[in-house]
Amino acid sequence: MPSESARPPPPKAAAVVSVHALSGGHFSLPEYQFVHPVSRDARRTVPSLAFLIQHSNQITGKQTRIVFDLGLRRDVKRYAPPIQKHVETRQPMTTDPDVTKSLANGGLAANDIDYVIYSHVHWDHIGEPRDFPTSTFIVGHGALALLDGTSSSLRGGHSFFESDLLPEGRTVELSEPSPHALKRNDSRTAPGEINFNGSWQAYGGLPQVLDLFNDGSLLIVDAPGHLPGHINLLARLSDDHQVYMAGDACHDRRLLTGEKTIGEWNDVHGHVCCIHADRKQAEQTIERIRVLEKDGVEIIFAHDVEWENNPANKARFFGACSE
Ligand SMILES: [Zn+2]
């Protein structure tokens, strides 16, 4: 009989996170600005989804709560005038419940949220940061230059950014996800401890990811094309269930299936506009998401009306009664 100590240790369960959807309002889009070909008059009302991600350190038991995106601002009059003008073209719109109320539905207050990660800083994702007075805000590389107005100009009525959006002293901009960037020494971070300063690395077909807790449970994914600093999340919920939160990498499931291509339109000056700042990069990002979906990863994008309307997903909203 082998002694107790000679037995191999039980296999260690892979670290996981929980992910819940948060309703962050609804607004309406003219479809031609997103997909092609489509009728000029076609419009659809879509959600602005946010997500609550909860991580528990396997060794210390420490809980970390993250909200990914803050959806629409409850009081649209608190947007800057150019965005208020743009909002008029996005009716009908509802902002109740917003993300704060959606958190409250599940029994959490804004003060319970350690980090707010923005996929990007477009108006329909930024919500109301002042509702989160104790959270640290995380943005992708290049987002701060957009907010400061020091980035190159982008076309379209939605391209207005608030220089005072993020709280001073509670904001972290991620390092540049470049294959040539200096790899940082993140060996000091124990598995399960959050670290926004780790090294970007390849993961499967994704060239640049950050392993946020150094345990593989939650990856920040560089998702270039839509807007400078655009990032996505890849979360492991169990051994056989991964969820990819795609932000605005994709606005319509028909782009994933190849049924439609990315839309373009002309502004009043005759300039060609596209919802993505860099269409070519956006197409490459969509291709990577397509591969993930084929590999069995669940894809949810921010304006994913089909995902929201699927009855099977109702219980996956935070505070849904089945919990
Ligand atoms: Zn966007």
Side-chain angles (χ1 to χ4, degrees):
M1 283 281 286
S3 72
E4 239 358 76
S5 59
R7 283 187 192 161
K12 210 163 148 264
V16 295
V17 289
S18 73
V19 173
H20 288 94
L22 298 166
S23 191
H26 291 79
F27 65 111
S28 306
L29 303 169
E31 289 201 62
Y32 72 87
Q33 292 187 358
F34 298 86
V35 290
H36 175 84
V38 75
S39 148
R40 185 79 189 180
D41 306 322
R43 285 179 78 83
R44 53 166 36 181
T45 298
V46 300
S48 220
L49 291 171
F51 297 90
L52 170 69
I53 297 133
Q54 301 186 84
H55 176 275
S56 178
N57 186 314
Q58 286 185 320
I59 297 154
T60 65
K62 182 178 180 244
Q63 275 270 338
T64 304
R65 294 197 181 94
I66 295 169
V67 170
F68 184 53
D69 280 348
L70 295 181
L72 301 178
R73 192 164 289 174
R74 172 172 65 248
D75 178 4
V76 295
K77 291 204 172 56
R78 285 194 25 82
Y79 281 122
I83 291 299
Q84 288 191 44
K85 199 160 177 288
H86 177 68
V87 158
E88 288 169 18
T89 71
R90 293 295 185 255
Q91 301 295 335
M93 176 183 293
T94 56
T95 63
D96 186 12
D98 68 347
V99 162
T100 314
K101 195 168 177 181
S102 297
L103 282 168
N105 284 341
L108 285 182
N111 284 355
D112 297 318
I113 305 307
D114 302 296
Y115 300 97
V116 172
I117 301 180
Y118 278 139
S119 64
H120 65 300
V121 291
H122 271 149
W123 68 279
D124 50 324
H125 298 254
I126 58 176
E128 187 72 276
R130 71 174 187 175
D131 284 348
F132 294 81
T134 60
S135 313
T136 296
F137 285 73
I138 315 297
V139 291
H141 189 82
L144 293 188
L146 273 181
L147 296 175
D148 291 346
T150 52
S151 196
S152 60
S153 70
L154 295 161
R155 294 197 184 106
H158 61 292
S159 299
F160 182 87
F161 305 101
E162 299 172 3
S163 58
D164 59 350
L165 178 72
L166 296 169
E168 242 174 88
R170 284 187 289 120
T171 297
V172 174
E173 185 179 52
L174 299 176
S175 66
E176 189 176 8
S178 152
H180 308 298
L182 200 65
K183 293 294 177 200
R184 301 184 189 198
N185 178 10
D186 47 357
S187 57
R188 281 169 299 167
T189 308
E193 290 292 320
I194 199 162
N195 177 20
F196 292 97
N197 296 312
S199 298
W200 292 93
Q201 52 191 291
Y203 172 84
L206 302 171
Q208 303 285 349
V209 310
L210 273 183
D211 184 353
L212 209 47
F213 289 97
N214 197 22
D215 61 8
S217 62
L218 184 65
L219 308 180
I220 292 185
V221 181
D222 179 37
H226 181 62
L227 196 70
H230 187 253
I231 49 177
N232 295 163
L233 294 182
L234 179 58
R236 182 163 63 207
L237 306 196
S238 68
D239 284 344
D240 56 4
H241 190 181
Q242 282 180 292
V243 172
Y244 187 86
M245 287 155 271
D248 275 2
C250 178
H251 292 80
D252 192 302
R253 289 222 161 250
R254 294 169 293 180
L255 291 168
L256 286 184
T257 60
E259 231 176 300
K260 303 277 181 201
T261 58
I262 295 169
E264 285 181 343
W265 73 100
N266 290 316
D267 68 8
V268 286
H269 310 290
H271 294 131
V272 175
C273 300
C274 178
I275 206 68
H276 300 296
D278 185 324
R279 181 182 173 141
K280 198 139 201 71
Q281 282 195 328
E283 283 169 348
Q284 289 166 356
T285 293
I286 288 175
E287 182 53 36
R288 290 189 194 114
I289 295 172
R290 225 175 254 144
V291 172
L292 288 173
E293 191 172 49
K294 276 198 193 102
D295 289 345
V297 176
E298 179 182 26
I299 312 295
I300 315 172
F301 35 92
H303 307 305
D304 203 333
V305 63
E306 279 90 0
W307 189 90
E308 184 186 56
N309 287 342
N310 183 341
N313 294 329
K314 288 279 177 263
R316 297 173 65 190
F317 279 79
F318 192 54
C321 20
S322 66
E323 286 190 312

